[in-house]
Amino acid sequence: MALVLTEEQSMLRDSARGLVADRAPIAHLRKLRDSRDADGVSREIWKEFAAMGFAGILAPEDHGGSGLGHVEAGVVMEEIGRNLTPSPFLSTAILGATALKRAGGVRSGDLLSKLSAGDLLLALALDEKPKHTPKHIETKAARSGNGFTLSGAKTFVVDGHIADLLIVTARTAGGADDKDGVTVLLVDPKAKGVSIERTIMVDAHNAARITFDNVAVDADAVLGEIDAGAPLVEAILDAGRACVASELVGLSEEAFDRTVAYLKERKQFGKVIGEFQGLQHRASHLYCELEVTRAAVLKALQMLDTDADKARPYVAVAKARACGSADLAVREAVQMHGGNGMTDAIDIGLFMKRARVCQELFGDARFHANRIAKIRGY
Amino acid sequence: MALVLTEEQSMLRDSARGLVADRAPIAHLRKLRDSRDADGVSREIWKEFAAMGFAGILAPEDHGGSGLGHVEAGVVMEEIGRNLTPSPFLSTAILGATALKRAGGVRSGDLLSKLSAGDLLLALALDEKPKHTPKHIETKAARSGNGFTLSGAKTFVVDGHIADLLIVTARTAGGADDKDGVTVLLVDPKAKGVSIERTIMVDAHNAARITFDNVAVDADAVLGEIDAGAPLVEAILDAGRACVASELVGLSEEAFDRTVAYLKERKQFGKVIGEFQGLQHRASHLYCELEVTRAAVLKALQMLDTDADKARPYVAVAKARACGSADLAVREAVQMHGGNGMTDAIDIGLFMKRARVCQELFGDARFHANRIAKIRGY
Amino acid sequence: MTDLETFRRETRAWLEANCPAEMRTPPDDEEDRCWGGRNWKFKNEAQKQWLEVMAARGWTVPDWPKEFGGGGLSKDETKILREEMRAMKCRSPLDSFGIWMLGPALLKYGNEAQKKEHLPKIARGEIRWCQGYSEPGAGSDLASLQTKAEDKGDHYLVNGQKIWTSYANYADWIFCLVRTDPKAKKHEGISFLLFDMATPGVETRPILLISGKSPFCETFFTDVKVPKENLVYTLNKGWDVAKYLLTHERDMIGGMGLGGGRPLGQIAAQSIGVENGTLADPLLRADIAEFDVDAFAFALAMERAGDMMKTKQAHPAYSSFLKYYGTELNKRRHELVMSSLGSDGLEWESERSAEGDAPRAWLRTKANSIEGGTSEVQLNIISKRILELPGA
Amino acid sequence: MTDLETFRRETRAWLEANCPAEMRTPPDDEEDRCWGGRNWKFKNEAQKQWLEVMAARGWTVPDWPKEFGGGGLSKDETKILREEMRAMKCRSPLDSFGIWMLGPALLKYGNEAQKKEHLPKIARGEIRWCQGYSEPGAGSDLASLQTKAEDKGDHYLVNGQKIWTSYANYADWIFCLVRTDPKAKKHEGISFLLFDMATPGVETRPILLISGKSPFCETFFTDVKVPKENLVYTLNKGWDVAKYLLTHERDMIGGMGLGGGRPLGQIAAQSIGVENGTLADPLLRADIAEFDVDAFAFALAMERAGDMMKTKQAHPAYSSFLKYYGTELNKRRHELVMSSLGSDGLEWESERSAEGDAPRAWLRTKANSIEGGTSEVQLNIISKRILELPGA
């Protein structure tokens, strides 16, 4: 498969770009932030996303979805990244849809239909430590009658306070770091014993801490197989990682475009600052880093669509690269904008804030480089 | 103590600079290299070094030495670095003298007198792995009658093929990586069972591989205490590391000075290339790195002289910094010299070659940064 | 015992007796420091007492002459005082742009009346100063400033606008660069003026930063009358004063690289955990180790710079090196703090996160390499003045 | 089955049948490759046979037209051929500056006679070419070249000096930039000439490099007579040809970042050892992991660039990105090889070290970011042509 967008994918990009830039530009984020909006996202805009087929982008057509692939999902994430749009897209359309699709079954099918219509928001409750450590699951789901009793604490749950259902990873057997014994459960956030604390984040996007205190969960809440949920978790994560990498690509390129534009406009010492070779070389180097990342991210998305079993190292490289080049892009953006870049009045700082959160989400550059080292056996 | 050279130390620097630049400039290295000189150093110049008091720079005055400290030794090393001088100074005047001085005893005193007169060359046979791993000693000295039988293989022994005596670390008890059970022995390189292979190195300086095949060693060959030689080894190494760091400072600064001069002279696109801000900023950054390193190295040398028990982290930082900034200095030097820097006709490449060897000698930047992490407990 | 040893012993004893226990802990943040000034409200009795006993001894400005409220200490004594304060973890009794910047400039360029009037009040923390340098559109090109002061016989009439004036909304007085000869070349028509922020026509407006805080202001001057005796040094020679003062600012900002604060290894170990005796994130451990090497070495470079200045071996532009390196190092430190804290470090408002202390501090550091001359300007200065590269 | 699938199956079968076993291992070093030319001595029968069968099929230059000795393959077919050769580890049958550089330039700018004369000989490896671009003193500023060609009626008379001519001492012919109008602006008076290195007046002198090898020469021209039909394209328009050709050179050099060779993790593990399942040097492990991420991603960037070129989405200056990034990556790789090998990697002559293979290769890479336009020149090109920054 050629490592460029197909014509259909380019058209999708254009329509996503139109929708997101028009309905959810950075001003939208500022409005939600400054009004301390309780949801942190606009449900109205989410309905419009759904109408465009974006909510069900990964869902099969017979469940009301668009039946598209990760490349298309990444195309949408990129526009979300460019506009720093707070949206349920990642949690619901990527993580949620992947979980339901992979798990299969009648109930999952029904939920996918609701999800595609924009009537179901999901959230993945996975992390328990401040640094992404997916193998570490202490949250326990003890057998109890026909179902389970769930206890534990999750952190950094994106959209956790607005989700209609929580996708919770829990331990049904084994010790905290064992690979076996993991089960994925669908949990009602309104169930007794669930407490949800929304955490206001540096980037004004959604996250929550959730504790489960002896929460009763039915047997049919299980997604996939009991005790053998690890591969499902990895599949959800890989989709999430590749798509967050896409968001970082969009974010980085927008920050870069604005910086290059500023270099052509801002004058110092009687010259446009873009004339200074010191800045030119740094801008050009950054351009190269972003091009390398773009290739890696597109390939990872394509692999998820065409050869998912071999996608793992591609996804790791994509997320590692996207974190690294976004980090450089926003640091250069702020520095090259000088004092102006330090103010909340212009948007550049918002890119830096969002990039930081996306870096921590599902493993940063170091986490994924370390995975590559492990995969290669050194 | 002020972190600048005293007046006496500055005077010493001036006289060392005069001697080394006059008698052993880079042309001297080229001559030894191109003539494939069997010794790889000039014994005649070494006698002149001794006459100036440099051979015995660390040796006590009552053994014919200069009774000076590590700061003074570092001052000489810096000039050696500037001129890429192949010299027994490191092996004999630093490592050898430190070993003898710390070990004490009548024989050591006699040897120090010979050493100070320029009549004794020493070499430290320590490394057994391609990467410096001082804790790892497989070479065995088994008790045998009144003495030992020595067997094992050493590598990267600086001046190993010209030394009159070898300082050998060997295991008299315990396993290969144990701290206890290390003994330091003085071994005659002409003894039966010693084979020495000179290895021609990238920098045209001296090194050898040495194997010991059941070599009989007398009991009085022990330097320091039997089985408890580890602290002596560390003391020798710390002196060596701080002094190699000084050599790297001299080497880096000379490479940098030549590069800055070239930037002022070479024309491209109708301009002196030093006018290009891209190069200016890189040169200025490098200047800063070298200044930081210089402070760290001087402090380490001072600590060895005044507060040796606390010197360890200072030495680690000095060697780590010196390796890192020298590496940057020579890479920038070659790149900024363009095609000319790639030719053997000019000297810049020789700095890169020597810097690479000095980096590996007694631990590179990563080795010492890792030590700092261990010292700080993370 | 030498005089200096005696001085050290006595200083230690005096600090032990006079520094309140509450002043022997690091301040929580910038707001926890003592800035002084007309409207200053002490955080507690200890802060007030500590300022008073130190000011009485002249030790808020230990190396200034006694006649201007200083301690009259030699450089060696001053160093010993600082060392002992550090050893005992005594806080600075008074943080002040008057001490760090204006004071040294007045000592060198002020006339007797100006020194007598202003220096003692700085030393005692009675007047809080701010700096009127940057202007919108000028940025790194400081000398292209447009704020003008017209000669009106007995006073100057100041009109224009400044930006990035630190705490201008809290300051009592401002030291300010103004253009007094619009026809001269850009560095030659500038003068250095002092005036009261309560003068009619002065307005300040805080700037909201990405850290969510507002330590800086935009400051507007509309027909502000400044008495002529408030001109420092010669008319149209204000750039000389400005350059001198910028050097002091750079030293101060560069020093931030030392950072204090908890060791990164500890922060990371607590957040991430330890496996087999080393940090559970091996790549982060590598980056922290490399940072520690550089920070350790830079602290020594600061020490060496002090000793070089004392012995007049330092290049006059050496402070550009310290400023550049120290601020870049501090940014790196805070990136590593953020990487160590992970998602915990992303919270912006919770009590758990001390109201987002870590991310706000991280974002704050991004200004370090901009304020007081950007990193790019420092590299230009090094290229031109130290390396003497052409056209720099 | 599509045509391309059929082509792939047939190609695989043909390669399986025709590529000798000895040609299915990577070459040991540059001297182990097949360069062809009048005086070429094949290393062994397999090398000769492999060149012959591939040349007969036109597959030394698969995408050139059949009439000029090429394979006449489409871009997709060419890609499949390369993929299958890579999968089977087939060596390139012929390495050649004629193929990489001159050929594409002649196809675009040469006249019919020139194409007929030169391309088939390149394709069959009969004539080995070298490149006469750089001059002492010109360096990155290629267009400031001084070698001149005077019009003498039926021939040009060439006088001057070139440097960095790769293997000029082994080459049969040279393609060469010369100044034909000394009065024109520097880019406008340049022409592109071809001539036989056996012409009287041509001399070469190998340059000893820091790697101890001499792959480049200084080349001197004294009254060299060049027939007029050897002018490629229009007189004084040689810079257009040169620019086109440089792009091909950049692609080639940039591709070196991929490097092949043994994985770094393996090299390091063998040299340093493994503790608790990871490399015994944790900081080196971190650096290798970060390199692996970047190298993996850059290989994909190369793949994407190919697909962008095919679909005409690539910026014309895109090769500058590949050249810059690939060469810097290759330098980084070899630094890490040296760090992995430690003192074993410092030996320069021993059999044990294959005569210093590692350090010589390491030093060789330092030229990657200089030859074919320095990294700085590539960044300038990106600044100017892609980012469109002013004054770049």
Side-chain angles (χ1 to χ4, degrees):
Chain A
M1 185 184 293
L3 206 45
V4 288
L5 293 186
T6 63
E7 213 168 303
E8 293 76 20
Q9 288 162 349
S10 298
M11 283 167 57
L12 178 77
R13 183 192 55 200
D14 295 343
S15 63
R17 184 165 293 179
L19 176 71
V20 181
D22 185 41
R23 297 291 289 129
I26 295 179
H28 175 61
L29 168 68
R30 286 184 177 274
K31 200 175 136 205
L32 292 171
R33 179 190 75 169
D34 296 343
S35 67
R36 304 184 72 83
D37 184 272
D39 284 345
V41 296
S42 158
R43 287 176 193 264
E44 185 193 338
I45 293 175
W46 182 239
K47 280 298 229 175
E48 293 175 39
F49 265 59
M52 296 278 286
F54 293 163
I57 196 160
L58 290 179
E61 291 177 80
D62 51 7
H63 293 296
S66 304
L68 295 172
H70 293 84
V71 173
E72 287 80 4
V75 159
V76 175
M77 282 300 283
E78 214 177 303
E79 299 310 315
I80 286 175
R82 278 192 178 274
N83 293 281
L84 305 178
T85 307
S87 164
F89 189 78
L90 174 68
S91 292
T92 295
I94 309 296
L95 305 172
T98 301
L100 295 171
K101 215 166 63 172
R102 298 278 295 217
V106 177
R107 193 184 172 206
S108 290
D110 292 347
L111 291 173
L112 276 169
S113 302
K114 265 183 89 178
L115 178 154
S116 300
D119 293 331
L120 176 73
L121 298 184
L122 295 168
L124 175 68
L126 171 97
D127 280 323
E128 302 186 3
K129 290 190 168 192
K131 293 298 277 192
H132 182 61
T133 318
K135 62 168 189 176
H136 181 88
I137 298 176
E138 282 185 55
T139 296
K140 281 221 168 81
R143 307 276 175 142
S144 163
N146 204 22
F148 303 90
T149 303
L150 182 68
S151 287
K154 298 287 185 177
T155 187
F156 205 18
V157 181
V158 175
D159 290 340
H161 72 297
I162 55 165
D164 302 307
L165 277 176
L166 302 170
I167 300 166
V168 182
T169 57
R171 186 154 292 292
T172 38
D177 290 304
D178 286 353
K179 189 160 181 167
D180 289 333
V182 174
T183 303
V184 182
L185 300 169
L186 273 180
V187 179
D188 180 352
K190 295 188 197 70
K192 188 159 171 275
V194 179
S195 33
I196 300 178
E197 178 201 356
R198 181 187 183 186
T199 46
I200 303 293
M201 304 294 269
V202 62
D203 63 342
H205 280 53
N206 282 340
R209 291 179 186 261
I210 304 185
T211 53
F212 302 98
D213 182 11
N214 288 307
V215 178
V217 178
D218 281 353
D220 70 351
V222 174
L223 279 185
E225 289 176 64
I226 295 180
D227 284 353
L232 174 59
V233 174
E234 280 298 315
I236 300 170
L237 282 176
D238 274 349
R241 286 162 179 160
C243 286
V244 174
S246 290
E247 179 173 357
L248 282 166
V249 166
L251 176 163
S252 305
E253 295 212 334
E254 181 68 24
F256 180 62
D257 290 349
R258 288 175 184 227
T259 303
V260 171
Y262 190 76
L263 293 180
K264 293 177 185 176
E265 160 200 316
R266 170 76 171 173
K267 280 195 178 172
Q268 294 273 276
F269 305 104
K271 280 185 182 178
V272 166
I273 60 174
E275 288 185 56
F276 291 105
Q277 200 194 47
L279 298 184
Q280 288 177 348
H281 282 190
R282 279 160 50 188
S284 294
H285 172 74
L286 176 53
Y287 168 84
C288 296
E289 293 290 359
L290 296 176
E291 286 299 305
V292 172
T293 296
R294 182 174 277 286
V297 173
L298 180 55
K299 184 73 176 191
L301 295 164
Q302 287 186 350
M303 290 296 289
L304 286 172
D305 289 334
T306 60
D307 205 355
D309 291 346
K310 293 189 188 149
R312 187 129 311 149
Y314 290 85
V315 170
V317 166
K319 182 65 165 62
R321 283 287 319 176
C323 289
S325 56
D327 190 58
L328 181 64
V330 297
R331 285 190 286 113
E332 288 289 43
V334 167
Q335 179 68 19
M336 291 187 187
H337 276 80
N340 289 329
M342 291 302 301
T343 68
D344 188 68
I346 72 166
D347 294 332
I348 283 299
L350 300 174
F351 288 90
M352 177 172 272
K353 292 172 173 181
R354 180 65 187 152
R356 172 49 73 183
V357 174
C358 289
Q359 286 183 67
E360 292 300 334
L361 197 54
F362 307 144
D364 62 10
R366 296 183 189 98
F367 174 89
H368 289 288
N370 193 43
R371 280 177 84 205
I372 289 294
K374 284 184 184 170
I375 289 169
R376 298 196 168 182
Y378 60 86
Chain B
M1 187 183 293
L3 206 44
V4 287
L5 293 187
T6 63
E7 214 167 305
E8 293 76 19
Q9 290 161 348
S10 299
M11 283 167 58
L12 178 75
R13 184 192 54 202
D14 295 343
S15 63
R17 184 164 293 178
L19 177 70
V20 181
D22 186 40
R23 297 290 290 129
I26 295 180
H28 175 62
L29 167 69
R30 285 184 178 276
K31 201 175 137 205
L32 293 171
R33 179 190 74 169
D34 296 342
S35 67
R36 304 184 72 84
D37 184 272
D39 284 345
V41 295
S42 158
R43 288 175 193 265
E44 182 193 340
I45 293 175
W46 183 241
K47 280 297 230 179
E48 294 177 40
F49 264 59
M52 295 276 286
F54 293 163
I57 195 162
L58 291 179
E61 290 176 80
D62 51 7
H63 292 297
S66 304
L68 294 171
H70 293 83
V71 173
E72 287 80 3
V75 159
V76 176
M77 282 301 282
E78 214 176 302
E79 299 311 316
I80 286 176
R82 278 192 179 273
N83 293 283
L84 305 178
T85 307
S87 164
F89 188 77
L90 174 69
S91 293
T92 295
I94 310 294
L95 305 172
T98 301
L100 295 172
K101 213 166 64 169
R102 297 279 295 218
V106 177
R107 190 181 173 211
S108 290
D110 291 347
L111 291 172
L112 276 170
S113 302
K114 264 183 90 178
L115 179 154
S116 301
D119 293 332
L120 175 72
L121 297 186
L122 295 167
L124 176 67
L126 170 97
D127 281 322
E128 302 186 3
K129 292 190 166 191
K131 293 296 277 190
H132 181 60
T133 318
K135 63 168 186 174
H136 181 88
I137 298 175
E138 282 186 56
T139 296
K140 282 224 168 78
R143 306 276 174 141
S144 162
N146 204 23
F148 304 89
T149 303
L150 183 68
S151 287
K154 298 287 186 178
T155 187
F156 205 16
V157 181
V158 175
D159 290 341
H161 72 297
I162 54 166
D164 302 306
L165 276 175
L166 302 171
I167 301 166
V168 183
T169 58
R171 187 156 289 293
T172 38
D177 291 305
D178 287 352
K179 192 162 178 163
D180 289 334
V182 174
T183 303
V184 182
L185 301 169
L186 273 179
V187 179
D188 181 351
K190 296 189 196 70
K192 186 157 173 274
V194 178
S195 35
I196 299 178
E197 175 200 359
R198 182 187 182 186
T199 47
I200 302 293
M201 304 295 268
V202 61
D203 63 342
H205 280 52
N206 282 341
R209 291 179 187 259
I210 303 184
T211 53
F212 303 97
D213 182 10
N214 289 307
V215 178
V217 178
D218 280 352
D220 70 351
V222 174
L223 278 185
E225 289 176 62
I226 295 181
D227 285 353
L232 174 59
V233 173
E234 280 298 315
I236 299 170
L237 282 176
D238 274 349
R241 287 161 178 160
C243 287
V244 174
S246 289
E247 178 173 359
L248 282 166
V249 165
L251 176 163
S252 306
E253 294 211 336
E254 181 67 22
F256 181 62
D257 290 349
R258 288 174 184 228
T259 303
V260 171
Y262 189 77
L263 292 179
K264 293 176 185 175
E265 160 199 317
R266 170 77 170 171
K267 279 196 179 174
Q268 294 275 273
F269 305 104
K271 281 184 181 179
V272 166
I273 61 173
E275 288 185 56
F276 291 104
Q277 199 193 46
L279 298 184
Q280 288 177 348
H281 282 189
R282 278 160 52 189
S284 294
H285 172 75
L286 175 53
Y287 168 84
C288 296
E289 293 291 359
L290 297 177
E291 286 299 304
V292 172
T293 296
R294 181 174 278 286
V297 173
L298 180 55
K299 183 74 177 192
L301 295 164
Q302 287 186 351
M303 289 295 290
L304 287 172
D305 289 334
T306 59
D307 205 356
D309 291 345
K310 293 189 186 148
R312 187 128 312 150
Y314 290 85
V315 171
V317 165
K319 182 66 164 63
R321 282 287 320 177
C323 289
S325 56
D327 190 57
L328 182 64
V330 297
R331 285 189 287 114
E332 288 289 43
V334 168
Q335 179 68 19
M336 291 187 187
H337 276 81
N340 290 329
M342 290 303 301
T343 67
D344 189 68
I346 72 167
D347 293 332
I348 283 298
L350 300 174
F351 287 91
M352 177 172 270
K353 292 172 173 181
R354 180 66 187 151
R356 173 48 75 182
V357 174
C358 288
Q359 285 183 67
E360 293 300 335
L361 197 54
F362 307 144
D364 61 9
R366 296 184 188 97
F367 174 90
H368 289 288
N370 193 42
R371 281 178 85 204
I372 289 294
K374 284 184 184 169
I375 290 170
R376 297 195 170 183
Y378 60 86
Chain C
M1 192 175 278
T2 66
D3 288 352
L4 286 178
E5 282 163 353
T6 308
F7 177 79
R8 187 184 292 276
R9 211 186 39 185
E10 288 171 1
T11 299
R12 193 177 300 164
W14 186 87
L15 288 171
E16 200 59 74
N18 287 279
C19 183
E22 299 94 314
M23 293 294 106
R24 297 194 197 180
T25 57
D28 292 338
D29 54 30
E30 256 173 70
E31 272 108 74
D32 197 28
R33 298 168 185 276
C34 179
W35 288 92
R38 284 176 195 149
N39 305 308
W40 183 251
K41 290 195 179 42
F42 289 99
K43 296 285 171 289
N44 51 44
E45 191 54 34
Q47 193 186 55
K48 181 160 182 274
Q49 187 196 329
W50 179 226
L51 173 58
E52 283 173 1
V53 293
M54 286 292 275
R57 215 171 163 87
W59 281 9
T60 53
V61 285
D63 58 348
W64 290 9
K66 285 194 172 176
E67 56 175 318
F68 302 130
L73 301 190
S74 70
K75 283 184 179 178
D76 285 333
E77 289 167 337
T78 303
K79 196 176 165 188
I80 287 170
L81 171 59
R82 293 201 201 292
E83 285 168 1
E84 292 302 319
M85 284 178 69
R86 211 164 27 229
M88 227 177 275
K89 299 201 165 84
C90 306
R91 289 190 196 183
S92 164
L94 180 60
D95 284 8
S96 150
F97 296 105
I99 293 175
W100 300 325
M101 294 195 267
L102 178 62
L106 278 186
L107 282 166
K108 185 169 168 85
Y109 290 100
N111 59 34
E112 275 310 295
Q114 288 167 340
K115 291 188 215 175
K116 283 228 168 76
E117 170 62 21
H118 297 295
L119 293 177
K121 290 178 184 168
I122 291 173
R124 293 192 299 265
E126 290 168 9
I127 292 293
R128 181 169 179 179
W129 287 83
C130 66
Q131 178 198 46
Y133 271 35
S134 298
E135 298 188 4
S140 290
D141 186 10
L142 203 56
S144 69
L145 60 93
Q146 299 298 326
T147 294
K148 65 180 176 190
E150 294 163 273
D151 188 337
K152 295 291 183 182
D154 66 333
H155 66 271
Y156 296 105
L157 196 66
V158 177
N159 277 285
Q161 183 183 349
K162 294 287 174 182
I163 195 167
W164 309 121
T165 26
S166 304
Y167 300 115
N169 46 341
Y170 301 123
D172 305 312
W173 276 64
I174 188 169
F175 49 96
C176 194
L177 291 177
V178 293
R179 189 158 298 285
T180 37
D181 182 353
K183 286 178 199 140
K185 283 191 217 158
K186 74 178 177 180
H187 292 88
E188 289 169 14
I190 293 170
S191 299
F192 194 94
L193 283 188
L194 314 175
F195 52 94
D196 194 319
M197 291 291 280
T199 317
V202 177
E203 266 182 282
T204 63
R205 190 190 298 158
I207 301 167
L208 182 62
L209 294 187
I210 57 177
S211 62
K213 305 203 173 181
S214 297
F216 301 107
C217 294
E218 293 179 284
T219 304
F220 304 89
F221 308 128
T222 315
D223 290 339
V224 177
K225 289 186 186 175
V226 177
K228 279 205 155 170
E229 67 259 31
N230 289 1
L231 171 73
V232 175
Y233 197 48
T234 314
L235 187 70
N236 295 330
K237 293 283 180 204
W239 190 246
D240 293 347
V241 187
K243 276 193 301 185
Y244 180 77
L245 197 149
L246 277 176
T247 308
H248 281 268
E249 184 181 13
R250 275 165 203 157
D251 286 349
M252 180 186 85
I253 298 174
M256 299 201 290
L258 288 173
R262 283 173 62 209
L264 280 175
Q266 268 181 31
I267 296 175
Q270 190 180 332
S271 170
I272 297 173
V274 169
E275 284 172 12
N276 304 322
T278 60
L279 260 190
D281 183 333
L283 274 74
L284 182 60
R285 176 178 178 275
D287 288 343
I288 291 177
E290 282 161 4
F291 173 83
D292 274 356
V293 165
D294 292 340
F296 191 122
F298 182 66
L300 299 171
M302 295 277 290
E303 183 185 335
R304 175 167 172 258
D307 290 333
M308 286 166 75
M309 285 168 194
K310 260 173 48 182
T311 52
K312 306 217 185 306
Q313 295 179 49
H315 190 286
Y318 207 66
S319 62
S320 284
F321 148 55
L322 300 176
K323 201 280 179 182
Y324 165 68
Y325 209 92
T327 57
E328 294 294 338
L329 206 54
N330 200 37
K331 290 197 297 181
R332 209 171 125 201
R333 175 182 158 81
H334 281 263
E335 289 287 346
L336 290 169
V337 169
M338 290 299 284
S339 288
S340 297
L341 296 179
S343 57
D344 283 355
L346 302 172
E347 289 190 29
W348 191 242
E349 292 193 348
S350 61
E351 197 180 321
R352 181 194 306 115
S353 68
E355 300 305 318
D357 192 41
R360 290 172 197 268
W362 162 64
L363 290 164
R364 173 65 185 87
T365 62
K366 299 303 173 190
N368 294 165
S369 53
I370 298 168
E371 61 203 344
T374 62
S375 282
E376 291 78 11
V377 164
Q378 307 311 324
L379 291 173
N380 285 345
I381 292 171
I382 294 166
S383 297
K384 178 179 187 148
R385 299 187 53 202
I386 300 182
L387 306 184
E388 298 178 347
L389 290 170
Chain D
M1 193 177 276
T2 66
D3 289 354
L4 286 178
E5 281 162 355
T6 309
F7 177 79
R8 186 184 293 277
R9 212 186 38 186
E10 289 171 3
T11 299
R12 193 177 302 163
W14 186 88
L15 288 171
E16 199 60 74
N18 288 280
C19 183
E22 300 95 315
M23 293 293 108
R24 297 193 198 181
T25 56
D28 292 340
D29 54 30
E30 255 172 71
E31 272 111 74
D32 197 28
R33 298 169 185 277
C34 177
W35 288 92
R38 286 176 194 148
N39 305 310
W40 183 250
K41 291 196 178 41
F42 289 100
K43 296 285 170 291
N44 50 43
E45 191 53 34
Q47 193 185 55
K48 181 160 181 273
Q49 186 195 330
W50 181 224
L51 173 58
E52 283 173 0
V53 293
M54 285 292 274
R57 214 172 165 87
W59 282 7
T60 53
V61 286
D63 58 347
W64 289 11
K66 284 193 171 176
E67 57 176 316
F68 302 132
L73 300 190
S74 70
K75 283 185 177 176
D76 285 333
E77 289 166 339
T78 304
K79 196 177 164 186
I80 286 170
L81 170 59
R82 292 202 200 294
E83 284 168 2
E84 293 302 319
M85 285 178 67
R86 208 162 31 229
M88 227 176 276
K89 299 204 164 85
C90 307
R91 289 190 197 183
S92 165
L94 180 61
D95 284 7
S96 150
F97 296 106
I99 294 176
W100 300 326
M101 292 194 269
L102 179 62
L106 278 186
L107 282 167
K108 186 169 167 86
Y109 290 100
N111 59 33
E112 276 309 295
Q114 288 166 342
K115 291 188 219 176
K116 284 227 167 76
E117 169 63 21
H118 298 295
L119 293 176
K121 291 179 185 167
I122 290 173
R124 293 193 299 265
E126 289 168 11
I127 292 294
R128 182 169 180 178
W129 288 82
C130 67
Q131 178 197 45
Y133 271 37
S134 298
E135 297 188 4
S140 290
D141 186 9
L142 204 54
S144 69
L145 60 93
Q146 299 298 326
T147 294
K148 66 180 175 191
E150 293 163 273
D151 188 336
K152 295 290 182 185
D154 66 333
H155 66 272
Y156 296 106
L157 195 67
V158 178
N159 279 285
Q161 183 183 350
K162 295 286 174 184
I163 194 167
W164 309 121
T165 27
S166 304
Y167 301 114
N169 44 342
Y170 301 122
D172 305 311
W173 276 64
I174 188 168
F175 50 95
C176 193
L177 291 177
V178 293
R179 189 160 297 285
T180 37
D181 182 354
K183 286 178 198 141
K185 284 191 217 158
K186 73 177 179 183
H187 292 87
E188 288 167 15
I190 293 170
S191 298
F192 194 94
L193 284 188
L194 313 176
F195 53 92
D196 194 318
M197 292 291 280
T199 317
V202 177
E203 267 183 279
T204 62
R205 188 189 301 158
I207 301 167
L208 182 62
L209 293 187
I210 56 177
S211 61
K213 306 203 171 182
S214 297
F216 301 107
C217 293
E218 293 179 284
T219 304
F220 304 88
F221 308 127
T222 314
D223 290 338
V224 178
K225 288 186 188 176
V226 177
K228 279 206 155 169
E229 67 260 31
N230 288 0
L231 171 73
V232 175
Y233 198 49
T234 314
L235 187 72
N236 294 330
K237 293 282 180 205
W239 190 246
D240 293 347
V241 188
K243 275 193 303 185
Y244 180 77
L245 198 150
L246 276 175
T247 308
H248 282 268
E249 184 180 12
R250 275 166 203 156
D251 286 350
M252 181 187 84
I253 298 174
M256 298 201 290
L258 288 174
R262 282 173 63 208
L264 280 175
Q266 269 181 29
I267 296 175
Q270 190 181 329
S271 170
I272 297 173
V274 169
E275 284 173 12
N276 303 320
T278 60
L279 261 190
D281 183 333
L283 274 73
L284 181 60
R285 176 178 179 275
D287 288 344
I288 291 177
E290 282 161 4
F291 172 83
D292 274 357
V293 165
D294 292 341
F296 191 124
F298 182 67
L300 298 170
M302 294 278 289
E303 183 184 335
R304 177 167 172 258
D307 290 332
M308 285 166 74
M309 285 168 192
K310 261 172 48 181
T311 52
K312 306 218 185 305
Q313 295 179 51
H315 190 286
Y318 207 66
S319 61
S320 284
F321 148 55
L322 299 176
K323 201 282 178 180
Y324 165 68
Y325 209 92
T327 56
E328 294 294 337
L329 206 54
N330 200 36
K331 290 197 298 180
R332 209 170 123 201
R333 176 183 157 81
H334 282 262
E335 288 288 344
L336 290 169
V337 169
M338 291 299 285
S339 288
S340 297
L341 296 179
S343 56
D344 283 354
L346 302 172
E347 288 188 31
W348 191 243
E349 293 192 349
S350 61
E351 197 180 322
R352 181 194 305 115
S353 67
E355 301 305 318
D357 191 41
R360 290 173 198 268
W362 161 64
L363 291 164
R364 173 65 184 86
T365 63
K366 299 304 175 192
N368 294 165
S369 53
I370 297 167
E371 60 204 342
T374 62
S375 282
E376 291 77 12
V377 164
Q378 306 312 324
L379 291 173
N380 285 345
I381 291 171
I382 294 166
S383 297
K384 178 179 188 148
R385 298 187 52 201
I386 300 183
L387 306 184
E388 299 178 345
L389 290 170

